[in-house]
């Protein structure tokens, strides 16, 4: 039987979160020390640990079938690669930043100036769209130090919390693109590997849906059940269980975490009491 070859960053921001996603999907990775390729025992999959910047080319060439990779890297490399699933972790943005004593956020500050970056293609496309002429200096790492050593008047780099910029006396001005971890696939998948990928995606989506949802239980007077049920954003309809105390029932449902506090307030206003919220491990719809 074929095995789906998946590439994961061998070190860096995505490594731990990628392994946690596999674990949440029931795919257990037995890592040996310094192994660069690992075969999974309980799922038809092989993991290849690769340098982050190499992953897009390996995907395009079909050396690996799928990869967990930053969307920003795929945009920068401009490869013929399909994104099949947003994963919701390792969120960041590619942004311009300037020394903190520069007061303007106008990108035209960079007209005729030097910009240090590890994302030259992304930056070049942005500057061309804006009609800005700048001198781009490509740096493979530690981009934030460039203004301090006189190499550039500003930088273009990935930003998560902004703490690294702050430590280097810089501040973010313009966001070029927003990014997160994605599952991407080669254009060269066989039918058998497509079926394996579909099973993998089914697991991923069950995990991601669960992370965005909570299981909710509450006690409700029987004459308020319909009002409470109307508030709940349920999958089909809530579960209603009579309590030992006459005139009361327990209602069980699922609630979207993004609407959590608004819905809770509405439930209380409509008679719900003793509300319990429970995390969901997996959610298969």
């Amino acid at each position: 039987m074929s095995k789906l070859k998946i590439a994961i960053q061998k070190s860096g921001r995505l490594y731990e979160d990628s392994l946690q996603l596999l674990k949440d999907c029931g795919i257990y990775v037995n890592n040996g020390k310094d192994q660069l390729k690992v075969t999974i025992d309980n799922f038809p999959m092989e993991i290849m640990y690769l340098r982050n910047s190499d992953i897009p080319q390996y995907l395009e060439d079909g050396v690996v079938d799928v990869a967990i990779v930053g969307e920003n890297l795929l945009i920068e490399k401009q490869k013929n690669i399909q994104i099949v699933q947003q994963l919701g972790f390792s969120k960041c943005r590619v942004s311009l930043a300037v020394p903190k004593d520069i007061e303007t956020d106008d990108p035209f500050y960079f007209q005729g100036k030097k910009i240090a970056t590890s994302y030259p293609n992304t930056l070049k496309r942005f500057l061309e769209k804006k009609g800005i002429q700048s001198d781009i200096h490509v740096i493979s790492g530690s981009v934030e130090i460039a203004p301090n050593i006189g190499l550039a008047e500003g930088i273009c780099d990935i930003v998560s919390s902004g703490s690294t910029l702050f430590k280097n006396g810089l501040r973010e001005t313009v966001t070029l693109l927003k990014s997160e971890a994605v599952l991407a696939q080669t254009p060269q998948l066989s039918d058998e590997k497509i079926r394996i990928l579909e099973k993998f995606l089914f697991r991923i989506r069950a995990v991601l849906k669960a992370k965005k949802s909570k299981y909710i239980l509450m006690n409700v007077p029987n004459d308020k059940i319909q009002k409470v049920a109307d508030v709940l954003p349920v999958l089909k309809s809530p579960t209603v269980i009579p309590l030992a105390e006459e005139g009361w029932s327990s209602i069980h449902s699922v609630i979207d975490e993004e609407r959590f506090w608004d819905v809770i307030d509405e439930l209380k206003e409509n008679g719900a009491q003793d509300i319990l919220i429970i995390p969901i491990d997996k959610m298969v719809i």
Side-chain angles (χ1 to χ4, degrees):
M1 182 180 182
S2 296
K3 290 184 178 291
L4 192 71
K5 295 180 181 178
I6 181 171
I8 291 176
Q9 188 181 82
K10 66 179 180 180
S11 62
R13 295 184 311 116
L14 295 177
Y15 173 76
E16 293 292 344
D17 286 337
S18 298
L19 290 183
Q20 184 61 52
L21 176 63
L22 293 178
K23 183 179 179 181
D24 291 341
C25 290
I27 297 171
Y28 298 104
V29 183
N30 184 17
N31 270 3
K33 187 177 180 180
D34 298 325
Q35 280 185 285
L36 296 180
K37 187 170 80 168
V38 176
T39 298
I40 303 301
D41 294 331
N42 68 336
F43 193 81
M45 177 180 284
E46 283 184 345
I47 298 176
M48 296 180 67
Y49 297 101
L50 300 175
R51 191 171 63 178
N52 192 47
S53 59
D54 291 338
I55 290 176
Q57 189 64 57
Y58 278 54
L59 272 172
E60 187 176 56
D61 293 344
V63 176
V64 296
D65 302 314
V66 295
I68 298 175
V69 64
E71 186 176 8
N72 57 296
L73 184 62
L74 297 181
I75 293 171
E76 170 64 23
K77 297 294 186 180
Q78 298 178 288
K79 299 296 183 182
N80 179 27
I81 297 166
Q82 179 186 356
I83 293 173
V84 292
Q85 181 65 50
Q86 307 282 129
L87 299 177
F89 59 83
S90 294
K91 292 186 177 182
C92 65
R93 51 201 178 273
V94 177
S95 296
L96 290 169
V98 298
K100 60 184 180 182
D101 59 350
I102 301 298
E103 296 182 356
T104 181
D105 290 350
D106 191 333
F108 282 90
Y109 161 80
F110 290 101
Q111 181 71 37
K113 293 184 172 64
K114 299 175 183 177
I115 308 174
T117 187
S118 297
Y119 294 87
N121 294 324
T122 301
L123 176 58
K124 183 179 179 182
R125 289 193 297 271
F126 173 81
L127 294 176
E128 287 177 349
K129 184 177 179 181
K130 293 290 184 179
I132 299 171
Q133 299 290 327
S134 299
D135 186 3
I136 298 175
H137 283 247
V138 181
I139 301 177
S140 60
S142 301
V143 176
E144 295 86 357
I145 199 174
N148 290 329
I149 62 176
L151 181 62
E153 281 90 359
I155 68 167
C156 175
D157 201 15
I158 58 170
V159 179
S160 296
S161 66
S163 61
T164 303
L165 292 180
F166 180 80
K167 290 175 183 176
N168 286 275
L170 303 174
R171 65 179 188 84
E172 188 177 2
T173 58
V174 181
T175 297
L176 278 60
L177 63 89
K178 294 182 179 180
S179 174
E180 64 183 85
V182 297
L183 184 73
Q185 75 166 67
T186 180
Q188 306 175 36
L189 277 187
S190 67
D191 290 343
E192 185 176 9
K193 288 190 176 182
I194 288 174
R195 286 192 290 271
I196 299 172
L197 175 58
E198 288 172 350
K199 291 180 180 179
F200 184 37
L201 283 170
F202 177 80
R203 297 190 185 195
I204 289 175
R205 288 163 182 163
V207 169
L208 295 180
K209 182 64 177 174
K211 290 182 183 297
K212 296 178 181 178
S213 305
K214 300 292 183 185
Y215 192 77
I216 184 169
L217 306 85
M218 69 206 82
N219 295 331
V220 180
N222 287 345
D223 61 352
K224 301 287 183 66
I225 289 176
Q226 189 57 54
K227 287 185 177 179
V228 168
D230 290 342
V231 172
L232 289 168
V234 295
L235 300 178
K236 288 188 174 67
S237 64
T239 300
V240 180
I241 303 173
L243 296 179
E245 183 175 346
E246 188 174 347
W248 286 79
S249 295
S250 176
I251 293 184
H252 299 206
S253 188
V254 172
I255 186 171
D256 190 332
E257 192 166 35
E258 290 184 357
R259 292 192 56 209
F260 176 80
W261 290 111
D262 291 337
V263 173
I264 292 297
D265 289 340
E266 288 187 63
L267 291 172
K268 290 174 65 179
E269 289 171 4
N270 285 281
Q273 300 179 20
D274 309 321
I275 301 172
L276 299 178
I277 310 297
I278 302 172
I280 301 173
D281 186 46
K282 307 288 187 299
M283 193 166 171
V284 179
I285 300 176

